[in-house]
Amino acid sequence: SDATCPESWRSLPPDYRKHAVIYTDFRESYADIIPSERLRQVGKKSGGTAHIERSDNTLRQRSPCMVRKTLSFGKDDAVHGKRIRIFIDCYNNSISV
């Protein structure tokens, strides 16, 4: 939402904010918050966001706690963060050459 976009941008590590290129849809709040040299707004048909959507889907498939409140759901945000970090590390290592 317009309220959470600035919060999301500030939550990125400073190095990411300086160097990363952010691919988004055409929501106005992105253009208002993210510097133009870091922002690439693309449509769904361009395929610019496909790799992110694929990794999100893989995360949901491999981590039941990310899908819905079930027996594997935890309430501790720190634990969720650690699970996501472990997934990202393992996933990146599995696709590295």
Side-chain angles (χ1 to χ4, degrees):
S1 72
D2 292 343
T4 58
C5 184
E7 189 177 310
S8 295
W9 177 249
R10 284 191 303 270
S11 73
L12 293 175
D15 283 344
Y16 281 27
R17 290 193 305 253
K18 288 179 190 173
H19 303 291
V21 176
I22 311 293
Y23 287 85
T24 70
D25 57 14
F26 291 98
R27 188 178 189 98
E28 266 186 53
S29 56
Y30 296 132
D32 293 341
I33 301 300
I34 302 171
S36 60
E37 66 271 7
R38 301 276 141 248
L39 179 64
R40 303 291 183 275
Q41 291 183 302
V42 296
K44 284 279 187 190
K45 296 188 188 246
S46 73
T49 60
H51 60 286
I52 296 298
E53 292 170 11
R54 176 68 248 164
S55 66
D56 288 349
N57 189 26
T58 303
L59 172 62
R60 285 191 301 276
Q61 289 175 343
R62 294 185 187 174
S63 302
C65 64
M66 305 306 292
V67 179
R68 62 177 179 257
K69 291 185 179 183
T70 62
L71 292 175
S72 60
F73 183 81
K75 295 180 183 174
D76 188 349
D77 287 342
V79 172
H80 281 295
K82 288 176 185 172
R83 285 181 176 165
I84 292 169
R85 181 86 241 148
I86 290 168
F87 165 78
I88 290 170
D89 290 342
C90 291
Y91 184 76
N92 287 341
N93 286 334
S94 73
I95 60 173
S96 298
V97 237

